[in-house]
Amino acid sequence: MALERTLSIIKPDAVAKNVVGEIYSRFEKAGLKVAAARMKHLSRAEAEGFYAVHRERPFFNALVEFMISGPVMIQVLQGEGAVLKNRELMGATNPKDAAAGTIRADFADSIDANAVHGSDSLENAAIEVAYFFPATDVYTR
Ligand code: RTP
Ligand code: MG
């Protein structure tokens, strides 16, 4: 498997629950390394731009409102097969469908307040990493 980078966001609900460390621990135990990180309260324009692919979806406004409701923790995760590995750690979008032991099963409250974001493909990962981090702020570990 190839060494990959993926973008992860710990969403406002999980930051408010004070489980950033617990979620980082799951990344680390799965062999993912934090290659960049920053806490940020997204502006509406930043959240809309990040989720632009969903602009026409009925849940877009709710998604943006939620993502700007408090600070988020944004990180680049690096490791073998990082994109899929992170998605597996996250669990299904709706926590009701998320497998036991996944981040969303353990920390998410609803399909909106679902604790984490993770890039869904290697191609999108590169776009999303560049959206938040200049190349000089991402470290090879
Ligand atoms: P994410 O992008 O945040 O990692 O989540 P995801 O890939 O699992 O889900 P995606 O389809 O990309 O949707 C982005 C976020 O929009 C909210 N959503 N609501 N009400 C709905 O039917 C619905 N569908 C999606 C979720 O908060 C999801 O994480
Ligand atoms: Mg998605």
Side-chain angles (χ1 to χ4, degrees):
M1 221 187 299
L3 197 62
E4 295 177 353
R5 284 173 174 167
T6 191
L7 188 86
S8 161
I9 301 178
I10 301 177
K11 295 186 179 184
D13 57 322
V15 172
K17 280 186 184 173
N18 206 27
V19 292
V20 169
E22 289 199 45
I23 293 173
Y24 267 50
S25 175
R26 292 180 184 216
F27 298 150
E28 292 175 350
K29 284 179 181 144
L32 295 175
K33 294 177 177 178
V34 176
R38 68 185 298 200
M39 182 170 274
K40 191 167 169 52
H41 195 145
L42 300 179
S43 69
R44 185 175 300 275
E46 284 170 332
E48 287 177 349
F50 183 73
Y51 278 119
V53 63
H54 293 311
R55 200 183 296 116
E56 305 304 327
R57 308 285 287 278
F59 57 82
F60 181 70
N61 285 339
L63 174 60
V64 168
E65 286 297 333
F66 175 67
M67 289 300 288
I68 65 174
S69 65
V72 297
M73 191 73 196
I74 311 168
Q75 46 281 325
V76 177
L77 303 176
Q78 180 188 298
E80 295 290 322
V83 173
L84 185 59
K85 193 176 275 185
N86 181 45
R87 295 288 296 192
E88 287 172 354
L89 292 172
M90 288 164 58
T93 307
N94 189 336
K96 289 186 184 129
D97 303 326
T102 61
I103 293 168
R104 282 169 166 164
D106 290 344
F107 301 118
D109 295 321
S110 68
I111 194 166
D112 294 309
N114 64 356
V116 280
H117 162 86
S119 305
D120 60 9
S121 68
L122 198 51
E123 186 187 4
N124 284 337
I127 294 167
E128 293 181 358
V129 167
Y131 191 82
F132 286 116
F133 296 99
T136 48
D137 286 356
V138 185
Y139 295 90
T140 297
R141 298 193 48 212

